[in-house]
Every structure is written in structure tokens, then in C-alpha cells.
Amino acid sequence: MNSRQIKFLKLLKEQSEYKPASFFAKWLSVSTKTIYSDINALYSFLQENGLDLDSSPRNGIKLLDVKNNINKLIDEINDDLYDKLYDYLIKLSRG
């Protein structure tokens, strides 16, 4: 997970309603294509941590905190980003 994706995750956390990709793209100064790429990159990581992203053309994008884990996850990311990233990349490389 890169720093932009962490910022995206924090921005998602702050939203109580669905927002279009263009909203996130504007805040992060990236294209909507980059937002959708980040969604794909974050999807598995979030599910492993009891979270989900809902993304649909008519609704927009929203973080679903299915187990109320977002604050815990962000704290862990802030406190121990490099260890999390290393473990995640190892999991990806092993398929």
C-alpha cells in the first residue's frame, strides 16, 4: 500500500455517504482511473481486515466497515506501515 492509497483510505473513512470517483480524484489530485486502480489494489487488503469497498456506477464509492475495524486498521497502518506492507507483498508474491 502506497502513501496515496493510505490517504485515499483515510478520505474514504471520513465519508458517510457514497461519493463519485471524481470526488476522490479531485481531493487526491489524481485521475479517476487512478482511483479505480487504487480500489482494485486495496480491495483484498481491506477484506482481510474486516472492511469492504462498495463501488458502483450509480452509487459511487463507499467504505463499508463491516466489523467496525477502520480506526484500528488506520492506527496499525500509521504505527507499523512498513511491516504491514512487507507482509502484504509477501502474501501477494505467494499467490
Side-chain angles (χ1 to χ4, degrees):
M1 184 176 324
N2 62 39
S3 62
R4 182 189 65 248
Q5 291 166 344
I6 293 169
K7 289 177 188 175
F8 181 34
L9 181 60
K10 289 179 181 180
L11 187 57
L12 281 163
K13 176 190 174 255
E14 295 172 3
Q15 308 310 310
S16 60
E17 303 205 3
Y18 285 86
K19 301 286 184 184
S22 59
F23 170 85
F24 297 104
K26 181 178 178 181
W27 274 95
L28 298 171
S29 301
V30 297
S31 69
T32 54
K33 184 177 178 180
T34 298
I35 294 299
Y36 287 115
S37 175
D38 285 350
I39 288 169
N40 289 333
L42 289 172
Y43 188 74
S44 294
F45 177 76
L46 292 173
Q47 283 196 324
E48 289 171 7
N49 288 282
L51 302 162
D52 197 7
L53 278 175
D54 186 23
S55 174
S56 67
R58 296 188 190 267
N59 291 327
I61 305 163
K62 183 175 180 183
L63 180 66
L64 304 176
D65 194 355
V66 293
K67 294 183 182 175
N68 204 20
N69 291 328
I70 187 63
N71 290 329
K72 178 183 169 190
L73 179 61
I74 287 178
D75 286 345
E76 287 177 11
I77 289 170
N78 287 336
D79 292 344
D80 208 5
L81 177 61
Y82 295 107
D83 288 343
K84 280 273 194 193
L85 179 59
Y86 178 78
D87 291 343
Y88 181 65
L89 292 174
I90 293 297
K91 284 181 185 179
L92 282 178
S93 69
R94 292 184 180 162

